[in-house]
Amino acid sequence: MTVQIGGGEPLARLAARRIRNIACEPLEPAVRHKAALCLLDFLGCCVAGRRMPWAPALLRFADDRAGTPEAYHWSLGRRVSAGMAAFGNGVLGHSIIRDDMHVASGSHIGVLILPAAIALAERDDLPGRALLAGIVAGYEMAGRLGTAVRGSGAFNRHFRPSGIVGAFGAAAAACAASQLDEDRTVHALGFGANFACGLNEWAWSGGQELFAHAGMAAQSGLNAFDLACSGMQSSETILEGADGVFAAYGCGSDAARIFASSLSEDYCILGVRHKPNAGCNFIQTPIAAALEAAKRLNSPNKIDEIVIRTFGEAQCYPGCDYTGPFTSLQQSKMSLQYGVSAALLWGRVDENAYARLADPVLNALVSRCRIELDAGFAEAFPARQGAAIDVRLHDGSRTVATLDDVPWLDDTAVEARFLAEMADYAGAAAANRILEAAHGLNDLESSRDLFALFPSRTPEPVDASRSDTTPRRPTTDGL
Amino acid sequence: MDGGALSLSRQAIRHASTLADRGADVTEVDSRVAACMLDFLSGCLTARATPWAPTLLRHDRMRAGPGRAFHFGLQRKGASDTAAFGNAVLGHGLIREDVHLGSGSHIGGIVIPAMLALAERDGLSGQDLIRGIVAGYEAAARPGAAAAEDRASFLGAPK
């Protein structure tokens, strides 16, 4: 695939050509396979997300605003407007913080672009091949933009990378899936860039807005696409312009060059990775190393000190170097100290472990953690994300476990996880049919044949003990 | 107003709530809200003649659906979020709507369409609508003004 770079053409136009290229040329089998795998991993996350404490609130929100039934909503188990489906499935899919990872862009692209692509495909009855092209293009544009922003040497870290790239990528997905012409694709990208959202304060405060980042990105990407389809026009220089994306986020001067040159590289989606555990990307290797160390530790209660060796990006990412107090899953799933301590104490880091926020033994271990930066790990990043856990006991003995990268799940493991989670929700037969349909998407005349397999069901009654006490409608006294 | 450990968001809510409650009983605020609303509405109606209005209406027509909120471009009621979006785009169409100099922001074009749509959707009273608009101006103006106060980094005037 080649895209002409340079010649003074705006970056959004070059990007639009790459999108058109993906939309109109046959996709290689490996790319199609990866797109299906990403879709399955996302659907598994949606199912798992239904168990989170805020799921009832999401259910209420969606139920109130369902609109015209156009696309399947995994929380409601029925069809709602495409925009609401994109939003709700984005929130749900991100809810366990286990969705896929594109390291170079620092973004969870799947939950940003997949909800938009599948909502659009169902709404507009697109062929399976079109949906695949949309997925590939969405990963491509979100990944390329994020890599340029992060790889430029500087950017404003108060903005969340997934938020910066999300609507841009989702708009790209919609354009490719619909084979939109070049001009309108440029405008859709411009609106998508303008619809970016997401700050990083949640990582410190434990707010739930990070989940909305994903939903907003997907919904806004669809809005961007629909606006462009209707004829609204945006700034063609939205990326490189004087007040464009790279300037606004304080990116280094290399961002435009990185973006342009990356458009002729291999498919971005092939670099997407699948997490072994829920939680931030940067805590994956430390947790895996700690789980290794835990196998060799007899007495976690005799630990004197835990040294977590990592690299600067992991330590300085919002919420990662945090020792509490822990009041939410969002905090425990970001904290290096929490994840490592849980692994050493319980030998597992699952939803139950993340939820034991006030456990005194766990918090005692957290307080004994110390982070050390390792030059070797720093040099290897972002290609590899190494970590070492050095556990020092009262008797002077040490247990050290080192991993040079995240033990990302391979294809088989991703599918096995999907089948287990989907079978638990919809039955083994349905899970298998969805898996087969996802891998056969390229041959489906209508992607609705896949969506028809999604289970229609009435949501379980809201468990009052797990829900918040927010009234269905705000009261009108005061504000 | 108590400060201390209260977050700025919580302080803002209390402040806006107090002012909004008071505002609904103060004639001057009342008439100011009315003036802002009328200015917004006339901007909406005039902007229907702009070159991009037909594209906006094409977009909004697809998404208007059923609902109780009036869309000034479509001249009919529909979904509240589409009405809020469409009326805000129209209201900003002439780039003539109100401006709050301290924050460098066009607050009316944002707050008023949201409050009109919400008020219609939920059947709010006139007094609630006024309260919401006052609080919206307040909540938008204060952080905007705080950000703009650092003149060294305040690079531009509202466009």
Side-chain angles (χ1 to χ4, degrees):
Chain A
M1 180 175 301
T2 53
V3 171
Q4 188 185 347
I5 296 170
E9 289 193 281
L11 293 178
R13 188 159 290 281
L14 299 180
R17 287 193 194 138
R18 170 80 171 185
I19 292 168
R20 289 278 301 162
N21 213 325
I22 291 170
C24 300
E25 286 188 1
L27 294 169
E28 298 161 19
V31 176
R32 299 201 305 261
H33 175 79
K34 184 67 179 180
L37 200 71
C38 289
L39 178 59
L40 292 169
D41 199 25
F42 165 71
L43 296 180
C45 287
C46 284
V47 170
R50 298 177 72 259
R51 295 192 296 269
M52 302 311 286
W54 48 88
L58 180 62
L59 205 61
R60 275 197 298 275
F61 179 76
D63 206 21
D64 279 352
R65 308 163 138 243
T68 309
E70 296 171 323
Y72 185 85
H73 189 295
W74 279 93
S75 190
L76 288 174
R78 64 180 167 87
R79 276 151 185 90
V80 297
S81 72
M84 187 47 55
F87 177 82
N89 293 335
V91 175
L92 207 58
H94 199 31
S95 280
I96 60 167
I97 317 185
R98 196 202 66 193
D99 39 297
D100 63 31
M101 183 71 211
H102 182 254
V103 177
S105 63
S107 298
H108 307 287
I109 302 178
V111 290
L112 310 170
I113 68 102
L114 285 165
I118 61 177
L120 180 79
E122 187 164 13
R123 182 188 80 179
D124 293 354
D125 193 15
L126 301 179
R129 197 267 163 208
L131 172 56
L132 281 174
I135 292 171
V136 173
Y139 275 95
E140 191 69 19
M141 284 305 130
R144 297 304 174 203
L145 179 58
T147 302
V149 168
R150 286 175 67 86
S152 68
F155 78 101
N156 186 332
R157 291 172 187 274
H158 301 301
F159 292 100
R160 193 169 181 221
S162 292
I164 294 174
V165 306
F168 186 83
C175 292
S178 303
Q179 294 199 344
L180 196 63
D181 60 74
E182 183 180 307
D183 281 345
R184 285 186 294 174
T185 298
V186 168
H187 296 307
L189 292 176
F191 283 118
N194 271 286
F195 294 167
C197 84
L199 304 177
N200 266 327
E201 179 57 20
W202 61 273
W204 303 113
S205 69
Q208 294 170 358
E209 66 267 31
L210 84 151
F211 309 121
H213 295 166
M216 284 301 300
Q219 185 176 32
S220 297
L222 278 188
N223 287 342
F225 167 77
D226 282 339
L227 279 171
C229 285
S230 300
M232 292 284 280
Q233 299 179 359
S234 67
S235 304
E236 191 155 341
T237 50
I238 192 63
L239 295 179
E240 72 274 34
D243 280 305
V245 168
F246 297 139
Y249 296 116
C251 298
S253 57
D254 235 11
R257 186 196 60 75
I258 294 171
F259 184 83
S261 62
S262 74
L263 293 176
S264 56
E265 291 175 4
D266 204 3
Y267 293 97
C268 207
I269 195 172
L270 296 174
V272 170
R273 300 288 178 255
H274 304 274
K275 292 178 184 174
N277 290 297
C280 175
N281 164 57
F282 289 125
I283 70 172
Q284 297 289 327
T285 316
I287 285 176
L291 289 170
E292 276 301 308
K295 293 176 189 167
R296 291 180 253 145
L297 270 180
N298 292 324
S299 310
N301 56 343
K302 292 181 180 170
I303 291 174
D304 187 42
E305 186 181 35
I306 303 162
V307 179
I308 303 170
R309 294 202 182 88
T310 181
F311 44 92
E313 286 281 333
Q315 185 185 25
C316 73
Y317 195 81
C320 285
D321 181 5
Y322 184 68
T323 55
F326 296 99
T327 57
S328 74
L329 292 169
Q330 297 84 281
Q331 293 164 320
S332 61
K333 287 186 174 179
M334 293 302 293
S335 165
L336 285 159
Q337 293 91 337
Y338 190 104
V340 166
S341 299
L344 292 172
L345 182 59
W346 297 311
R348 57 179 171 74
V349 187
D350 53 15
E351 291 301 318
N352 182 269
Y354 278 126
R356 296 175 71 168
L357 306 170
D359 188 289
V361 182
L362 184 280
N363 278 284
L365 282 186
V366 165
S367 69
R368 292 175 187 201
C369 288
R370 178 165 60 84
I371 293 175
E372 269 185 14
L373 296 182
D374 182 285
F377 294 147
E379 195 176 337
F381 179 80
R384 303 181 82 77
Q385 303 183 72
I389 301 301
D390 183 348
V391 186
R392 300 168 183 191
L393 302 181
H394 294 319
D395 63 6
S397 63
R398 295 169 62 185
T399 299
V400 180
T402 304
L403 288 174
D404 65 357
D405 199 7
V406 180
W408 302 111
L409 294 194
D410 62 17
D411 295 5
T412 307
V414 171
E415 290 187 2
R417 183 165 70 183
F418 163 79
L419 285 173
E421 287 178 328
M422 189 59 74
D424 188 46
Y425 175 62
N432 277 302
R433 282 197 294 272
I434 293 172
L435 185 139
E436 284 171 22
H439 282 302
L441 206 47
N442 198 52
D443 300 321
L444 292 184
E445 283 186 25
S446 169
S447 53
R448 286 181 179 170
D449 292 346
L450 167 65
F451 308 132
L453 301 173
F454 295 171
S456 294
R457 55 193 294 169
T458 308
E460 293 90 3
V462 173
D463 178 352
S465 66
R466 293 198 323 168
S467 69
D468 58 36
T469 54
T470 310
R472 193 172 182 82
R473 285 265 186 260
T475 56
T476 52
D477 49 342
L479 283 183
Chain B
M1 177 168 308
D2 51 351
L6 274 184
S7 69
L8 290 177
S9 294
R10 201 167 285 276
Q11 290 181 48
I13 291 165
R14 292 189 184 178
H15 170 69
S17 179
T18 305
L19 278 188
D21 283 348
R22 197 197 314 157
D25 298 326
V26 177
T27 311
E28 188 189 344
V29 174
D30 208 1
S31 60
R32 194 79 195 119
V33 167
C36 288
M37 223 159 67
L38 293 172
D39 195 28
F40 170 77
L41 294 180
S42 71
C44 266
L45 294 174
T46 312
R48 294 172 69 231
T50 55
W52 50 87
T55 63
L56 170 72
L57 299 186
R58 256 199 309 278
H59 172 268
D60 286 0
R61 200 170 286 119
M62 286 194 306
R63 302 162 149 246
R68 294 194 287 267
F70 191 78
H71 189 302
F72 288 95
L74 298 176
Q75 293 285 300
R76 72 170 178 87
K77 289 180 185 292
S80 55
D81 53 353
T82 304
F85 177 84
N87 291 337
V89 174
L90 275 180
H92 197 35
L94 301 176
I95 318 184
R96 187 206 74 183
E97 74 276 27
D98 66 30
V99 59
H100 179 256
L101 292 175
S103 61
S105 299
H106 305 287
I107 301 176
I110 298 160
V111 166
I112 292 173
M115 273 313 302
L116 288 176
L118 181 75
E120 278 204 291
R121 186 189 77 178
D122 292 355
L124 302 185
S125 68
Q127 207 172 45
D128 287 337
L129 174 59
I130 292 171
R131 262 205 285 262
I133 290 173
V134 171
Y137 271 92
E138 201 61 27
R142 296 304 173 191
E149 202 163 300
D150 178 3
R151 296 289 165 185
S153 62
F154 186 47
L155 300 176
K159 294 172 182 171

